[in-house]
Structures are given as C-alpha cells and as structure tokens.
Amino acid sequence: MLLSRRQWLKVAAVGGTWPALTGWSASGARAGTRVTVGTKRLTLRHTWTIARNSSDFKDNVFVHIERDGIYGWGEAAPNVRYDETPQQTVTALERAASILESADWLDYADLRRRWEGVTEGQSCAAAALDMAVLDWVGCKLGVPLYRLWGLDRSKAPVTSFSIGIDSPDVVRRKVREAVEFPILKIKVGRENDEEILAAVRDVTDCPLRVDANEGWRDKAVALEKILRLQDLGVELIEQPLPAGMLDETAWLRQRVDIPIIADEAVKRAEDIPRLAHAYDGVNIKLMKAGGIQEAIQMIHVTRALGMKVMLGCMIASSVAITAAAHLSPLVDYADLDGHLLIDNDPFTGVTVKAGRLLLTDRPGLGVTERAE
Ligand code: MG
C-alpha cells in the first residue's frame, strides 16, 4: 500500500483531467505524514437526469492521506441539492488538513468531532476524511473494514441498478443494457412518469424500485401515481414529495401499501426520529451523513425505530462506493451503483456481479488505483 509522491501525481494524472491538485504540509506536521487533495471529473455513461437536474459529468474531490508508509483514500461527491460545490469541498478539506496532520488517526472517533468543526455545511468533505482515515486504520491493522466491524461480506444485499429519466426509447435501451441486474431503480418525477414505467415494463418484469427525488408536489397526485406503481409491482417508492412536506407524506403513507423511503428528507441520525411517522425507511448515504461512522449510527437509529434501512450513494468512483459496500451487510436494501454509471472510474474496489456486491479481503477499503 505504498505510494510515492511521484506515483500519486502519476495516478492523479490518469485521464489527464485533474483540474486542481493541491498538496500541502502544515507547519509542525508529523514526519512522514502527508495529506493531498485533487479533483477528478467523472464522466457519465449516459446523461444523468433526475427530477431536479441533468448532467454529463460530476467533479468529485479525492483526498489521499499517508503516514508510516501506509495510505488511505477518501472521496467527496459534492451535491448542489445540499449546497455543496467542488471548490467549497476542497476548501473544507484544506482546513481539515492541519487537524489531520497533527492527530493520532487511530483515535478516529474523537478525530471526527474535530474535523466536523471545519467541514460544516460540506458533509461530503467530512465523508471523504472519514473514508480516508478508516482506510488508513484498516490498512494499519491489516483488516478489511467489514471485518473490523464484525460483518459477514456474504450477507450484503443485492444492489439495484439505476435508470435515469429519459425518452422511452433510451429507457428501453438502458434497461436492456442492465439485463444482468436483478433489481432496477427507476428515476421519475418529471412529466413522463407513465411513459418511462411503460417502457421499462416493455423490456423487463424484474422487481422495480422507484425514486421521484421530490418531483411530485401534490399529495393527491402522488397518491394516484403510487397506486399505479403498486399495480406495476413496484416494491417501494423513494422521496415522492419534497422533504419539507412531512405531514403530506404521513397522509400518503396511510393510503398506500408499499414502503415510502426518505432520502432528501434525511442527512444525519438526528434527522431520523421526526420522520418515523411519515416514512417506512431511510436511504442512508455516506455523503449526506458525513462519513462511515455517522452512517453506522444512522443504521442503528433507523433499526431502533423499526424502520427499513437502504444504503444509497451519489455518482462516485469505486472509492466511495466500496466504502459504503463495507456496511451493506447491515442493511435491507442496497443501491450502490454510482461507480457503474461512470466510464472513467480511476479506481477498482467492490465489484458487482449480477447485482451481488463482492468485497475483497484486502485491508482497509481495499481500493486500488487503476493502471494507466
Ligand atoms: Mg433518492
């Protein structure tokens, strides 16, 4: 797990599109400690359209930490929905670097409180730090993270594969391309929901999950749509109404049979109890939570409230997706396909075969930079 500065710069240049690679070393830093950050443009296989926006690429921020010849990787996927930008994320990581450089990384639970003081409002930056430090800790101790937490990797649930909003023809093509996945997650929430679902059902009768990304603005409209989804055998609906429409979502929940899962309505553990009357489950994401440690707390809070646990992701490389996959044996539903939606993943980590998440026995996250 050794990576020299020269190798790192070489890795950082993969694809030649790292627009900003900033290295620093704060005064008083421990010998042999280095924290480096860089931004990488991840390009999407298909234009990615959900209810609120559309994109062809994502600029994610990577952090690389090194001490004692061992290194750790972390990734931040800034999201406009949560007022995050790549530049603000880089700034937050630069602020956190001096905290990291002088700290004992094995004290990661305490250390997390300190970096959260400088990453406020940029939870994806905190997530990247948490991943990197835990990757380093796992490598230092010589164990994969799932093993550190006593989890059986064979108990990871099958992941769904996401189909973004598109014309019926393109949706049919995407669904055909996704033939190996046993469960699909269909994005809706614009004006062509019915056409999209019909196009999907033209091609497959596999189990479907549907995500409206807050796209329906009226509870009666949402009710009508969900009743139709039930007829199509859809197994759950995610964030049908805007996050702020909690009472309307509770109203909806009393009138439908399939579980309603909160996504945009929840970021951290403290958000969950007030949702328990309106939602059946919670979609936990490392980027919203601010890292793996908070995500573990969220899983336990969600369980304690008798709710279902989904583990989701943003568009990201194998670094962030593998980090989440280590927790997946703890959850009911996995939606960890962000790295499968891009065509220039700079890393390898968890692999997906017929929807099954396959973690290796490499220590830490178990991610490796892809060779040029
Ligand atoms: Mg969602």
Side-chain angles (χ1 to χ4, degrees), residues 185 187 211-213 238-239 263-264 283 285 310 335:
K185 177 153 140 181
K187 296 286 193 177
D211 187 357
N213 286 107
E238 194 174 312
Q239 204 64 55
D263 182 359
E264 285 84 349
N283 186 348
K285 297 179 181 172
M310 177 183 283
D335 181 31

Side-chain angles (χ1 to χ4, degrees), residues 96 160 270:
S160 51
E270 67 212 38

Side-chain angles (χ1 to χ4, degrees), residues 33-327:
T33 294
R34 184 182 289 129
V35 179
T36 311
V37 65
T39 303
K40 170 76 177 170
R41 176 157 294 183
L42 304 175
T43 52
L44 285 145
R45 290 182 190 280
H46 294 281
T47 298
W48 178 245
T49 302
I50 62 171
R52 70 180 150 264
N53 55 27
S54 193
S55 53
D56 291 304
F57 61 84
K58 284 287 305 264
D59 289 331
N60 283 4
V61 183
F62 291 81
V63 63
H64 176 264
I65 64 170
E66 184 177 355
R67 176 176 289 166
D68 304 336
I70 295 169
Y71 67 87
W73 282 105
E75 179 177 6
N79 191 313
V80 288
R81 171 62 178 77
Y82 304 105
D83 301 318
E84 297 164 342
T85 66
Q87 192 47 54
Q88 286 172 302
T89 300
V90 168
T91 303
L93 289 169
E94 285 173 348
R95 282 199 298 261
S98 58
I99 295 172
L100 230 54
E101 285 175 334
S102 58
D104 181 349
W105 295 348
L106 290 167
D107 287 345
Y108 58 85
D110 180 53
L111 181 54
R112 167 192 171 199
R113 301 294 169 202
R114 294 173 58 201
W115 73 55
E116 282 184 349
V118 297
T119 57
E120 205 170 352
Q122 302 292 309
S123 61
C124 66
L129 293 166
D130 202 43
M131 274 175 232
V133 168
L134 284 166
D135 187 19
W136 185 90
V137 167
C139 291
K140 179 85 174 165
L141 302 177
V143 288
L145 293 182
Y146 65 82
R147 181 64 77 198
L148 197 59
W149 301 317
L151 302 177
D152 177 352
R153 62 180 159 168
S154 72
K155 292 192 174 153
V158 164
T159 181
S160 51
F161 182 79
S162 301
I163 305 290
I165 294 174
D166 229 309
S167 67
D169 277 350
V170 178
V171 167
R172 274 189 284 270
R173 195 171 79 228
K174 287 182 186 172
V175 173
R176 282 193 199 100
E177 285 172 16
V179 65
E180 73 157 296
F181 293 90
I183 304 169
L184 296 178
K185 177 153 140 181
I186 312 299
K187 296 286 193 177
V188 298
R190 289 201 171 178
E191 59 293 321
N192 62 342
D193 299 347
E194 281 76 19
E195 288 101 307
I196 286 175
L197 268 304
V200 173
R201 277 293 181 236
D202 280 349
V203 181
T204 181
D205 56 5
C206 77
L208 302 178
R209 297 168 185 168
V210 169
D211 187 357
N213 286 107
E214 312 180 285
W216 302 331
R217 302 301 165 115
D218 178 279
K219 66 181 182 182
V221 170
L223 175 60
E224 194 185 315
K225 286 178 183 279
I226 296 172
L227 294 176
R228 217 170 301 156
L229 295 180
Q230 290 180 175
D231 292 340
L232 289 169
V234 168
E235 61 179 35
L236 60 82
I237 175 72
E238 194 174 312
Q239 204 64 55
L241 293 168
M245 293 178 69
L246 198 55
D247 291 342
E248 292 85 348
T249 305
W251 177 91
L252 207 51
R253 188 187 180 201
Q254 288 166 0
R255 289 163 177 79
V256 303
D257 296 326
I258 57 175
I260 303 179
I261 308 293
D263 182 359
E264 285 84 349
V266 57
K267 285 188 81 177
R268 298 171 62 94
E270 67 212 38
D271 301 326
I272 301 171
R274 68 182 177 82
L275 303 179
H277 72 293
Y279 293 91
D280 299 282
V282 171
N283 186 348
I284 295 167
K285 297 179 181 172
L286 300 186
M287 298 300 165
K288 294 187 296 176
I292 297 169
Q293 296 185 67
E294 178 70 14
I296 292 172
Q297 288 188 23
M298 293 179 75
I299 290 170
H300 294 308
V301 168
T302 306
R303 286 259 178 260
L305 291 165
M307 300 169 80
K308 294 281 188 190
V309 184
M310 177 183 283
L311 192 58
C313 64
M314 306 299 183
I315 305 291
S317 82
S318 285
V319 172
I321 304 301
T322 304
H326 281 272
L327 293 178

